[in-house]
Amino acid sequence: MIERVDPFIGTDVTALPPQTGLAATWWWPKPQIGNTHPGATYPLGMVSACAYSGAYPTGYGRYDLSLEGVPSTLHDEQLASGFTHFQQSGTGAIRKYYNYFRVTPMIEPLDVLGRTWPITEEDAAPGYYSATLDSGVSAEITVGPKSAVHRYTFPRHPNARIVIDFSMGGLSIPYGATVPLRANIETVAPGVANGYVVAEGAPIAVHIECDTPQWRQMLWYDRRLMPGGTKLALDHIRPTTLRPFGLMWAGPSEPGQTVELRIGFSMRGVEQAEANLRADCGPGPARFEARRERTRKTWKKHLKTIEIQTPSPERKTVFATALYHSLIKPSFANSESPFWPADGAFAYDIATMWDIYRTQLPLLTALQPEKAVELANALLTICEEEGNFPIGYRLARGGDRFSRQGSALAHTFLADLCQQGLPGVDWEWALVHMSDDLRRTYGEEFLLRGEAHPISHTLDIAYGYWCTAKVARHVGDNALAVQFEALAERWVNAYDPASGLLKDSTYYEGSRYNYSFRLQHDMAGRIGVSGGPEKFLAQLDAFFGYGAPAVVQPGNKPGADELLAGYALGRFEGLNNEPDMEAPWAYHYLGRPDRTAEIVHDIVHQQFGTGRGGLPGNDDSGGLSSWYVWASLGLFPVAGQNIVLINAPSFAESSIAVGGGTFTVRTRGFAEPFAGGPAQYVLGARLNGAPLERSWLSGAEFHGGGELVLELGPTPGGWGTVEVPPSHGPAPVSSASGAAAVTPAEAGAAAAFGSEVEAVEAAAGVEAALEAAAGIEDDSEPGLAEEDGQPEPRIVTDAADPVGSTLPEPEPEPDPGPRPEAAADPLPADPIAESDSRPRSTSEAPSPRTPGEST
């Protein structure tokens, strides 16, 4: 599988064949580019390294910041001013972009540092990246879990050099730069140096070794050399007076001469950075090939967890690369937290939790359950130390938690782990934090009013209560579980019973339609809110474009009218963005898996491809790629509910290495699919030899390993039409008068609505619609026509106390002792030493003025 990975997929503007059929009716509101980078990465590692052009959003490539449509170019060709470390993967406007410690191989004077050179050739593979600059210098880079190794080959030159810039970070776009607050560099011995920068509140330490005993080693400041200087300390850097500074090796080079540079990283001081380098690379010199091979073997092991059978090299490439992109983030950094002293699990670049919680985290749980447990403990520690579960967590200090995008998303991940019975998590500890987190930010409004706006947060928080109730039952707190299950029923308050769609509100990167068809714990009740199965089916069909004409996608810099008209379609985003990524499987709850098969077939075979333009939108930390992995296997996890839905796979056979062994999917009657071709349908299934009429697997059935055999055919049959996936509504409650019990599904169905979905009316406020991080806000509620006698919306609140104060706080428990954690890191923590406040250089060289100092 590793041989088929192409790290360049997603690095350029979407370039897929013209869509046909259903796929031609879907509308793409977000940037049409994957925003990935081809740099060297380690599976879930701390460090990545790649050519740096300053482009959005990873620092690699040619494109400017873009929030919708086809992105504008920043550069006409592939350029590089050097090679940086720490890159995001596939995100959009994440606001912090890293790219620290730029390494520039040069044969020009230091004065030109920062210029760019065209890249004449590139190569990339998992754990490896290479590029040749038109200066004649070629670069190769590999990485370990906490290190990077560079190897540069120079032409003949009397004064070649390798320059490390400690001062820069971020991107070369307006407001994209990251300026360190403090920095320290010290030469330790010939070819050895260390130091740190504090960027966005995070101290990042390095230990650097360069195999150039015959070259001069010098510090520099403001592009001026400091001959004889051994230390440079900057105690307070201001962006307005920043001057570049760093470290350099220089000397003569012969054709083909290579110079190796090794860097160990840590957030806990230079001694730990050195220890990390030793653990990753062993003692120098010449460690490049050994480190590259170790990383290649590690990637090979991770990519072998799923095997597929297909005669198509292109499809193998798309799948292998999707699996590769799924395993780059989050960044695990055990015992490296720079924000609290305790050792144990720590992770960052949980950058788009609102995407990855539905696809990437379930995939991680399936393939690497021990890493999922480590991430769970990291999330719990973050919540304990910082007061809330993150919605997005970067390598930065501060309260920027992307709260607008979603609420209570970690709860689904934790609920899955709990229901699977994975060891290593203190669930009583988890329950306290899950419960407390539900009351923060939008949670207060949810408890007070029964709903929260943006209205999608009502669904998030209600689902969070349902997931937390699962953990409460696991630890035996049934009273709390009952109360939380009641609060979970407030999901219904998010919907307008006149349309069966979500209420008028603002929406993040979408419209009410994109959020109205998510998979909830009570799908029977959800179907009832739309007026019953037939009306819910009609809504889904309209959403996915059945019978609709083809649409025109936004181009470069689309105008407000164009975007509003697109949102007014009320149409599926076709995996150009992810807020509706699970909606195709809503048909399963209607007994219509045939519809799911048709939609997923068109996504898998028309929205993903080979080449740099092979992704339909931002990969979002692997959230998009993980969707492709699941869907092409014929499976889809329902996050938080510990079930996996079944669909026709796009491979004749596949096997997944899960925690309990191997889960194999085999087919009978399989026909190799192709873009624009017919879908295949599941006609029958057998699980471990026994007939399976239902269209889903329990978590135990999937994660325990086994064999699923699917009989496929060209037309739908009766499979999956009777026994729909489980729905978790409240227990029926009898009325005082002795009337029959009424379920939410029945109550919703009683509130019968009109017949057909109408087009979305124009949204109110162009500015609100085009806000960078938001979707649109509608004035009116289009959709199903209201019938006579329509009852008032059902609002679920606590009758006794709508504020929620009747919920008891969990009683204090005795200290259970140390919490289970991942294996302890044998390297001791090393706090960064205080900056030297005396003269900036310990040599006799003139002392440079610290940026911000008075003259």
Side-chain angles (χ1 to χ4, degrees), residues 169-214:
L171 305 179
S172 300
I173 62 174
Y175 311 106
T178 299
V179 176
L181 175 64
R182 289 179 290 278
N184 187 86
I185 314 173
E186 185 171 1
T187 61
V188 177
V192 182
N194 61 36
Y196 67 86
V197 298
V198 177
E200 307 294 347
I204 307 170
V206 291
H207 176 83
I208 306 169
E209 297 177 353
C210 188
D211 294 345
T212 57
Q214 75 281 20

Side-chain angles (χ1 to χ4, degrees), residues 825-852:
D825 190 322
L827 306 178
D830 179 28
I832 294 177
E834 295 182 358
S835 298
D836 185 358
S837 59
R838 296 182 300 159
R840 297 296 176 257
S841 173
T842 57
S843 72
E844 297 301 320
S847 177
R849 178 168 61 85
T850 301

